[in-house]
Amino acid sequence: MRRIITATVLNQSGVLNRLTGLLTKRQFNIESITVGHSDDPGISKITIVVQVEDDRKLEQLLKQLHKQIDVLKVKDLTDMALVARELALIKVITTPDTRSEIKVIIEPFRAAIIDVSLENVTIEVTGDNEKVEALIELLRPYGIKEISRTGLTAMPRGTQKTVYNLNQFSII
Amino acid sequence: MKASWVADEEKSKVQMMSGADMLMEALEKEGVDVLFGYPGGAVLPIYDALYKKNIRHILTRHEQGAIHAAQGFARVTGKAGVVIATSGPGATNLVTGIADAMIDSLPLVIFTGQVATSVIGTDAFQEADIVGVTMPITKHNYQVRRVEDLPGIVQEAFHIAQTGRPGPVLVDIPKDISTALGAFSTPKEVTLPGYQPTVMPNLLQVKRLADAIATAKKPVILAGAGVLFAGAENEILTLAEQHRIPVANTLLGLGSFPSDHPLFLGMAGMHGTYAANIALHECDLLIGIGARFDDRLTGDLNHFAKKAAVAHIDIDPAEIGKNVETLIPIVGCAKHTVSALLRESTSSGDTTEWVYHLSELKSSYPLWYKKDGETLKPQRLLEIIHEETKGEAVITTDVGQHQMWTAQYYGFSKPNRWVTSGGLGTMGFGFPAAIGAKIGNPELPVVAVTGDGGFQMTLQELSVLQELKLPVIIVIVNNQSLGMVRQWQEIFYEERYSQSLIPVQPDFVKLAAAYGIDAAVVTTEEDAKVKLANALESNSPFLLDCRVTSDENVYPMIAPGKGIHQMIGVKP
């Protein structure tokens, strides 16, 4: 199953290496991983999208991440109300005929053209995985030259549904 | 470098000193009085600073020897073993020992030299990314980037190594950091927001366990090394006696419960006793304490404690539920948790029948070997070592047949006298570990039981024995083969002994003589008794080349992939 996990970590050199090494060593398959500063420059936030087999593997993953000295907090967001976004840059081959057509296609996605040349345009799109995938599929017939994606970053929504079924793990 | 005093505007006085001097200062602050190490280019400033200090340094003849010695030291003293090695090859030679300490939770603080910061990352002479290399096999590691950080890092390193679940911590020090000048300062206390080990247990969970004990008819305690790290032997003894609960040990937990106690079932696991393994198979309540349910203990998990409610007490939350599904998880230190449990649990279930059943098994299916009265049986050799040392000695081993025979036949009754490579199973561990154990506990006799294979992996440390005149007795259980490999080939590979027989051996007696160490060949039981007694008497280094029968196997045994109840070789 696919889980979205965030880790709040001290911004020390090698922390990302430590976490990815840990996941590799214990055979967790990372789908995407993103890192960036939090509002405190000494603290970074890592969002990991990972495939795990079952609840026991998931519990093990959370505990092992938590065990790292530089990790302050680990949270499994999957079952929470959350906002999750990824960004993709898509370079599409264009002709003068197709350029306006593409503009129409990307509009409902609230994507934007951020670079134009004679042969192609570069489109920026932000959203969840499905939205990005959907746009890419629509653009594919025109000829995609290059795609660059960031992977997912996420946080829980300000308001959570009153009842949600979180597994109780015995971390403490 | 001469330390100079300079005035600081804000504080009263700050001492400026080099990184190397800071390291020595910080080590003294931690109460370190012995280091194990090997010098080299990148640690020259550190060794120069050491020259001016009154800290004992044991120069081993290989870095692997240094780290295994530090492990032996840590195991018998409970304090962190401290190791220094140079950059590149010096650092990489430590890797086996670091991995060994990690899996067996031994506290170590390892200092490696590193090339100067200006050339890190350029594949400089003797450069290796040891921080990257050791990331998966250390509890934590550091590279010092600013000289001012060094004392604080050392303080943190000792704190991390010795608290919670102990483990190795590596500090990599670039050469220019050792020579750079800075102000020495350490915070009063270590503050690590991401590292707060849970020592005190959750009392609700403790209560649940107390309730389970009150109704259990077939409870069993599995005591592991965590009991020894916490010093909880007395608590476990009280718990077992108060509620009449039989006790099994893991390999590394040996010594945490008296081996001659009527409630003791022996070691459990692949080469454990029949009674201990059947107890784990049939129990209705399994109380694992400071044990990590290693696959060599559990056998096939589908058959492990299937009828039992499993309670697991461990200071490392990640160990709970890792291998065995746990009904009552308790995170906490063994000593505090069992103390709390003793306060909480007032009634016990009726275990009379269970205890009787297991003691029947214990006497009906004891450990056995065929005695022929002529040749020297390895099992008998271990019994003789027990008799001659009155079970008081610190015993170290490598991995393999001799290790299992020691675990089965030595009979450990006191804590912290059993030093073995459990999780990693490192050949070459036992002899250097014995050196460290003797330095850590000079009062007790120390016997290194090794195989003829393992001894040849680290025998250069004979030189240390000779230099320090350390009264360590080396007992080579010489069966002219890599015994456990040979045993597996015999049982599972139709006796195809591929590369496991070593018919041509060095003359170990002459070899010892070359190092100036007394030695003797032992061929009979009588021989073993007399020569061992002499060796113990002599209070000097001694090597005994014990020529045991070469076709002996370790029984009983759980074959790989089999359940804990499917033992072979239970009866002769």
Side-chain angles (χ1 to χ4, degrees), chain B residues 53-101:
Chain B
K53 284 282 178 186
N54 196 20
I55 299 178
R56 190 174 179 199
H57 181 275
I58 310 296
L59 174 70
T60 55
R61 299 321 191 244
H62 189 287
E63 286 86 354
Q64 189 182 357
I67 192 154
H68 290 330
Q71 289 179 270
F73 176 89
R75 182 58 280 203
V76 301
T77 62
K79 293 191 286 186
V82 187
V83 182
I84 301 184
T86 193
S87 65
T92 54
N93 277 346
L94 297 174
V95 167
T96 304
I98 298 174
D100 191 289

Side-chain angles (χ1 to χ4, degrees), chain B residues 357-501:
Chain B
H357 169 59
L358 291 177
S359 58
E360 279 282 281
L361 288 185
K362 208 172 137 184
S363 52
S364 308
Y365 303 98
L367 294 168
W368 62 271
Y369 59 92
K370 286 202 179 102
K371 306 174 178 75
D372 60 15
E374 283 170 26
T375 53
L376 179 59
K377 293 283 178 172
Q379 298 93 332
R380 178 76 195 122
L381 175 63
L382 266 307
E383 288 175 343
I384 292 170
I385 296 173
H386 178 94
E387 287 156 20
E388 294 302 323
T389 58
K390 301 177 188 67
E392 294 284 321
V394 172
I395 306 287
T396 72
T397 73
D398 287 359
V399 65
Q401 285 188 321
H402 71 276
Q403 177 191 35
M404 289 302 134
W405 285 319
T406 312
Q408 291 178 332
Y409 291 94
Y410 185 77
F412 293 90
S413 285
K414 288 185 177 159
N416 304 334
R417 302 197 176 180
W418 170 228
V419 185
T420 194
S421 171
L424 199 68
T426 305
M427 286 177 77
F429 172 86
F431 171 41
I435 293 175
K438 187 71 195 177
I439 287 164
N441 195 342
E443 305 301 319
L444 293 175
V446 175
V447 181
V449 181
T450 76
D452 46 307
F455 181 61
Q456 292 188 65
M457 284 196 173
T458 45
L459 62 76
Q460 73 282 356
E461 307 306 336
L462 281 169
S463 204
V464 179
L465 218 55
Q466 172 208 29
E467 182 189 326
L468 302 177
K469 303 272 178 292
L470 274 183
V472 167
I473 298 167
I474 303 159
V475 173
I476 303 176
V477 182
N478 188 347
N479 57 7
Q480 306 210 337
S481 63
L482 307 175
M484 196 57 96
V485 176
R486 197 205 57 82
Q487 174 169 340
W488 280 51
Q489 287 171 337
E490 181 184 322
I491 301 173
F492 307 115
Y493 296 87
E494 292 160 351
E495 301 183 23
R496 290 187 295 274
Y497 297 125
S498 179
Q499 307 299 316
S500 64
L501 308 180

Side-chain angles (χ1 to χ4, degrees), chain A residues 18 25 56 60 63 67 71, chain B residues 136 141 316-318 320 323:
Chain A
R18 211 176 281 280
K25 172 184 162 188
R56 231 171 80 194
Q60 198 35 223
K63 284 174 167 181
K67 198 168 140 178
V71 174
Chain B
N141 63 17
D316 180 357
I320 297 175
N323 298 335

